[in-house]
Amino acid sequence: MKRIFSNKEIVLGVTGSIAAYKACEIASRLVEYGARVLPVLTESAAELVGPASFEAITGRRAITGMFEPLQNPEIEHIAVATRAHLFLIAPATANVIAKAAHGIADDWLTTTLLATKAPILFAPAMNCNMYTHPATQENIKTLAGRGCRFVGPEEGRLACGFSGIGRMIDPATIIEACVPLLAPKKELAGKRVLITSGANHEPIDPVRFIGNRSSGKMGRAIALEALARGAEVTIISGPSEARMPWGATVISVGSAGEMAQAVEREAPKADVIIGAAAVADYTVANPAADKIKRDQETLTLTLVQNPDIIAGAGAKKRPGQFVVGFAAETENVIPNAIAKLKRKNLDLIVANLIGTSDSGFGTDTISASLITPDRHIEDLPLVTKDELANHLFNHIVAALA
Ligand code: PMT
């Protein structure tokens, strides 16, 4: 995330919705990721949340009026419109969306929106009837047709007491939606990336399962990087604690059998297939239909082998398709990974060390080596999973070229 946001000039337009207070968290996260945030509050927003909060968070003077930039050329609207890498309007009211759609420029924010060629992302927040009103929907369609992006809103309880669609989506998702708009590299535009991620739950009976400790963090990092490079991303995700990123299509599965079926269905459409899931190698032969009672001293489960999903994708690989596997190893990392690379007909394998406190399941960092079929090895001694994903896609992009 930091790599993408670092030193980017982001205009955070805050408009008059009760969700305006959440914009403080958005500003704070953007600053944490290294962005330079210029807060701009409409008159109504400034009634709901104090400009001082944004100034404290961003270290920049919050713009609240059309004419105050006259004293400061750095925030003159054409200068900002030209310099900004992104305009993020969060929360975006029906009013600002309508003004932007119709080219109305009657305050600093709408004037600057009209003057900028930077990407614009709206995070709508309003009453559900206002959001579903044909006028608002028409305005959203108009702006989307001009290339503006929208993130949310979501359904839920609204400040006005109604329940329905109109609640601003959470700040973490809004930040994720900025990623493809800020990332400089778009080498994967038009390409489809399919990722398996997370663990599998192999049922023993209706309430118990055999599982593993994969958190889905690696799969999430890979998906974010693919989105940042402009790819269309599908994640087939087993149970995992990590939230899958906004903008990706997520197919949720439980067992390895379900994951295999989903991959079988999706793989032919993909240009790149990446197996980051910790697939269960075995499943219970005959899961019990009812909860197993505690009435025996011992219990024996018969396990049968699951299909090898990534090997299946490797075997059916069509020309131009690129298949990547991961090898989770506790010992003989490189030789074991090379054997898997060959056996599964892969174009690249990520050999990762698992089972240490800073590398493996659930960790934020990982020790890995990227290995190609011609035995070129790139060692990454200890990197974040985001960094590994970046290296991985540098390889993939070079290979696809
Ligand atoms: O999710 P995290 O907590 O972030 O952890 C990330 C990770 C350690 C799970 C990940 O980096 C990783 O190593 N994933 C692969 C785990 C694994 O199953 O490794 P393996 O060496 O057993 O399998 C080799 C490859 O074959 C993998 O691409 C795996 O997805 C695939 N496989 C394995 C068995 C099987 N039946 N079908 C498969 O497709």
Side-chain angles (χ1 to χ4, degrees):
M1 286 288 216
K2 280 203 171 128
R3 198 167 36 83
I4 287 158
F5 285 93
S6 175
N7 281 322
K8 296 286 175 9
E9 174 88 7
I10 299 177
V11 176
L12 176 61
V14 184
T15 68
S17 152
I18 199 74
Y21 75 94
K22 294 188 195 163
C24 291
E25 187 184 338
I26 297 171
S28 163
R29 287 182 184 230
L30 291 172
V31 169
E32 185 192 329
Y33 291 145
R36 296 191 308 268
V37 179
L38 179 63
V40 182
L41 278 67
T42 61
E43 219 177 301
S44 335
E47 293 288 326
L48 292 159
V49 56
S53 306
F54 289 95
E55 291 176 358
I57 292 166
T58 63
R60 309 270 294 270
R61 178 151 174 73
I63 301 176
T64 51
M66 184 68 199
F67 297 103
E68 68 190 88
L70 289 181
Q71 279 92 53
N72 180 358
E74 202 234 343
I75 52 170
E76 185 276 319
H77 73 283
I78 301 295
V80 175
T82 313
R83 197 175 64 223
H85 295 101
L86 173 69
F87 276 71
L88 168 59
I89 318 301
T93 57
N95 184 44
V96 77
I97 289 170
K99 284 187 193 174
H102 293 277
I104 295 170
D106 64 353
D107 59 11
W108 193 96
L109 183 59
T110 48
T111 308
T112 315
L113 279 179
L114 207 54
T116 192
K117 297 233 183 292
I120 302 172
L121 176 65
F122 291 94
M126 64 196 78
N127 163 271
C128 47
N129 292 344
M130 292 171 78
Y131 181 69
T132 53
H133 194 286
T136 304
Q137 288 303 308
E138 203 53 45
N139 291 333
I140 290 174
K141 216 164 116 194
T142 302
L143 289 169
R146 289 185 203 141
C148 295
R149 301 291 184 91
F150 288 81
V151 53
E154 62 183 2
E155 290 204 23
R157 206 183 67 78
L158 305 171
C160 55
F162 281 59
S163 253
I165 185 150
R167 197 163 70 172
M168 188 170 83
I169 207 152
D170 62 288
T173 304
I174 293 173
I175 303 281
E176 278 172 12
C178 297
V179 169
L181 304 179
L182 284 174
K185 300 177 186 165
K186 289 280 179 278
E187 314 101 322
L188 292 178
K191 300 277 185 219
R192 292 185 172 147
V193 174
L194 178 66
I195 302 159
T196 68
S197 173
N200 290 129
H201 285 181
E202 303 300 316
I204 297 172
D205 67 15
V207 294
R208 304 180 178 98
F209 59 83
I210 298 174
N212 64 61
R213 298 180 200 281
S214 170
S215 63
K217 287 182 182 178
M218 192 64 245
R220 175 188 151 80
I222 294 169
L224 267 173
E225 185 65 34
L227 287 166
R229 295 187 188 227
E232 206 179 295
V233 176
T234 300
I235 308 168
I236 299 174
S237 173
S240 65
E241 71 180 61
R243 200 172 49 84
M244 290 301 132
W246 183 86
T249 302
V250 181
I251 301 171
S252 297
V253 295
S255 65
E258 287 166 18
M259 187 172 266
Q261 276 178 16
V263 171
E264 183 94 3
R265 209 174 48 239
E266 297 296 320
K269 296 178 247 170
D271 299 291
V272 178
I273 304 170
I274 304 174
V279 181
D281 284 318
Y282 291 89
T283 193
V284 179
N286 293 303
D290 295 309
K291 186 181 166 211
I292 298 171
K293 302 277 179 304
R294 194 174 177 273
D295 54 6
Q296 308 163 54
E297 269 300 303
T298 59
L299 177 67
T300 305
L301 297 173
T302 303
L303 302 181
V304 290
Q305 227 179 46
N306 272 323
D308 191 319
I309 301 172
I310 206 74
K316 291 185 192 150
K317 190 164 48 176
R318 59 172 161 74
Q321 207 174 34
F322 195 88
V323 183
V324 181
F326 273 68
E329 306 293 343
T330 51
E331 42 156 18
N332 293 328
V333 177
I334 302 290
N336 287 345
I338 290 175
K340 285 178 185 171
L341 173 85
K342 279 196 202 151
R343 196 168 65 243
K344 301 184 189 219
N345 194 29
L346 305 174
D347 299 297
L348 186 70
I349 196 154
V350 182
N352 51 188
L353 179 71
I354 55 160
T356 70
S357 61
D358 53 8
S359 180
F361 289 53
T363 58
D364 292 324
T365 49
I366 195 142
S367 254
S369 301
L370 307 187
I371 310 172
T372 64
D374 60 7
R375 305 271 174 107
H376 177 271
I377 301 178
E378 183 189 2
D379 289 320
L380 302 167
L382 189 68
V383 290
T384 64
K385 287 182 175 171
D386 289 350
E387 283 161 351
L388 171 55
N390 181 37
H391 283 271
L392 174 60
F393 276 103
N394 287 343
H395 267 269
I396 294 172
V397 166
L400 290 181

